[in-house]
Amino acid sequence: MEELKIDLGVRSYSVLIGSGILAGAGKILQERGIKGRLLIVTNPTVARYYLKPLQKSLSGAGYDHGVIKIPDGESYKSLRQANRIYDALVAGEYDRKATIVALGGGVIGDLAGFAAATYMRGIGFIQVPTTLLSQVDSSIGGKTAVNHPRGKNMIGAFYQPQLVISDVATFRTLPEREFASGLAEVIKHGIILDENYFRLVSGERENLLSLDPDFLTWVVAGSCVIKARVVEEDEMETGRRAILNFGHTLGHALESVTRYEVYKHGEAIAVGMVAAARIAREHGLLQDKGLPEQLAAVFASFGLPVAVPGLSVQELMAALQVDKKVEYGKLRWVLPRRLGEVVIVDDIPAALVEQVIREMGGAK
Ligand code: NAD
Ligand code: GLY
């Protein structure tokens, strides 16, 4: 088992990564001095595989715990479901020493984290992420949120967990598309900060797809180290943390115009990363002129999309303007200079963005 420390002063915490460690969660909590009652937040899909082993382990270690199941899907990352969690906490007389345990992917983690941040102005929070995306991205760094009907993650809080338990054996039950979606974020971490990590991950297709536990532990740990470096520098995203949004500018627009029904998050981000590399090239920022094609080939080899066939350029351009990345009316882009280095710019002409979207298959 690997242990990483996210160093954020009084809000520091450990991320434990390994294969089969979920079944030892009770002992892990005990060893780390977690006290009080627990409320597990999960969904029926994840519960089917992992709720019993988790409960058995928690009961074995003497933890009194309840369970609330949220229906599966992004549309349930809502204030309404947060309210259901508050109701369960109130009905169960959970006090300020209680802890919410999020068992699931990023949807459950973001929603449960938001409830933990706000119930009684903040109670304990532990993440047990079960998707690749949530292990390498959403479970660390403290962004919690629910969606508003007009926009994703519009209502939220920065709230760090006290502990993250990432069991890579959970990927065995994960649908292939979800695994590939997580890989997009893994590869993103290499592109923004670590060329070597990018090359090692993208060159090890077999080890990845065969779910080799040691390799996966190394991959998840490597991504967490990269994300931790950024979050430790800029926890509240006042500046540098925005580099983690590489690929998200067009990616979010893509998710929004297709009403979150066509693309998985990582799939949309893969398209967004290729677009950002093309924009960087056209804008004269890119040192390695072949990067857009190189990224597209890597993403395609994992079954990720790299174009926007038939989507309306106008709709995408309009969606770009309502993104959280618009500041003082200017849209910020995270663009690569080369593998391992990105910059944040806000002077990309709309005409250039339109041209790239068209070249990637956008329609009138
Ligand atoms: P998800 O939580 O919807 O999980 C994907 C699907 O896999 C769901 O159907 C889920 O039930 C199922 N699943 C989860 N674990 C499983 C397992 N081990 N076996 C079988 N099925 C399993 O999606 P996600 O990709 O994990 O997360 C996406 C969410 O994360 C989005 O809401 C996004 O906004 C958010 N996010 C947050 C951050 C952050 O920093 N907080 C970062 C990136 C993404
Ligand atoms: N997923 C982007 C961030 O955590 O900042």
Side-chain angles (χ1 to χ4, degrees):
M1 182 168 77
E2 293 269 339
E3 174 163 1
L4 304 174
K5 189 98 175 172
I6 312 286
D7 195 356
L8 293 168
V10 289
R11 292 179 302 287
S12 297
Y13 53 97
S14 287
V15 181
L16 308 179
I17 306 154
S19 182
I21 63 176
L22 186 144
K27 194 156 170 271
I28 292 172
L29 265 59
Q30 223 173 27
E31 283 165 2
R32 276 146 213 277
I34 307 286
K35 293 191 170 60
R37 296 172 65 212
L38 311 175
L39 179 69
I40 301 171
V41 180
T42 188
N43 73 25
T45 314
V46 176
R48 189 173 145 222
Y49 303 110
Y50 305 110
L51 182 58
K52 279 220 175 88
L54 180 63
Q55 286 192 287
K56 191 172 168 222
S57 173
L58 294 176
S59 299
Y63 285 100
D64 172 14
H65 64 270
V67 178
I68 177 166
K69 289 183 195 164
I70 307 296
D72 190 358
E74 178 74 34
S75 59
Y76 297 100
K77 203 173 100 174
S78 61
L79 270 177
R80 193 183 166 139
Q81 296 300 323
N83 215 28
R84 282 191 57 225
I85 301 176
Y86 302 139
D87 286 347
L89 288 162
V90 173
E93 297 180 1
Y94 284 81
D95 63 20
R96 298 182 65 193
K97 298 292 178 201
T99 295
I100 287 184
V101 179
L103 173 68
V107 167
I108 288 295
D110 280 13
L111 169 69
F114 178 71
T118 45
Y119 181 66
M120 293 192 175
R121 300 198 187 93
I123 60 172
F125 178 40
I126 292 173
Q127 292 258 26
V128 185
T130 60
T131 62
L132 177 57
L133 185 138
S134 57
Q135 292 192 10
V136 299
D137 193 356
S138 61
S139 64
I140 58 169
K143 281 188 180 176
T144 74
V146 294
N147 300 326
H148 184 272
R150 296 280 303 275
K152 206 168 134 78
N153 297 330
M154 283 294 198
I155 304 151
F158 283 98
Y159 197 65
Q160 302 293 342
Q162 286 156 273
L163 181 66
V164 181
I165 301 174
S166 288
D167 187 341
V168 298
T170 58
F171 304 156
R172 284 188 203 137
T173 53
L174 197 60
E176 266 173 41
R177 251 185 99 187
E178 298 295 350
F179 186 74
S181 173
L183 274 178
E185 298 281 7
V186 166
I187 293 167
K188 177 196 82 179
H189 285 135
I191 302 168
I192 61 172
L193 274 177
D194 191 334
E195 178 178 0
N196 203 30
Y197 179 75
F198 169 86
R199 292 197 189 284
L200 284 166
V201 171
S202 50
E204 292 287 347
R205 202 169 164 278
E206 280 311 306
N207 274 333
L208 276 172
L209 300 183
S210 66
L211 302 183
D212 177 86
D214 292 338
F215 188 62
L216 285 176
T217 300
W218 179 86
V219 168
V220 172
S223 258
C224 291
V225 166
I226 294 171
K227 179 156 181 178
R229 265 162 62 192
V230 180
V231 171
E232 284 167 0
E233 224 179 286
D234 178 21
E235 184 184 357
M236 306 294 179
E237 198 170 312
T238 54
R240 184 156 170 78
R241 181 166 176 167
I243 68 170
L244 293 171
N245 294 330
F246 174 53
H248 286 56
T249 312
L250 186 68
H252 276 168
L254 213 54
E255 287 181 287
S256 156
V257 302
T258 53
R259 303 186 200 295
Y260 302 93
E261 284 165 3
V262 176
Y263 294 91
K264 305 273 173 211
H265 182 64
E267 291 174 343
I269 301 315
V271 178
M273 286 190 267
V274 175
R278 282 170 165 265
I279 290 168
R281 180 165 61 192
E282 294 300 320
H283 199 57
L285 273 171
L286 196 59
Q287 289 167 9
D288 175 0
K289 300 283 185 284
L291 190 66
E293 288 71 27
Q294 184 183 1
L295 297 187
V298 169
F299 292 139
S301 78
F302 290 112
L304 290 161
V306 293
V308 291
L311 290 181
S312 153
V313 178
Q314 265 86 40
E315 277 184 39
L316 280 168
M317 292 302 289
L320 282 169
Q321 286 310 318
V322 293
D323 199 274
K324 282 206 292 333
K325 286 174 282 301
V326 173
E327 269 188 10
Y328 305 115
K330 282 190 164 176
L331 185 58
R332 283 180 307 158
W333 289 89
V334 183
L335 301 182
R337 263 196 210 287
R338 56 176 188 84
L339 270 179
E341 187 187 346
V342 289
V343 283
I344 302 170
V345 292
D346 65 3
D347 63 344
I348 301 297
L352 173 49
V353 178
E354 271 194 51
Q355 176 200 320
V356 165
I357 296 175
R358 274 211 181 84
E359 284 168 5
M360 291 179 69
K364 275 210 174 252

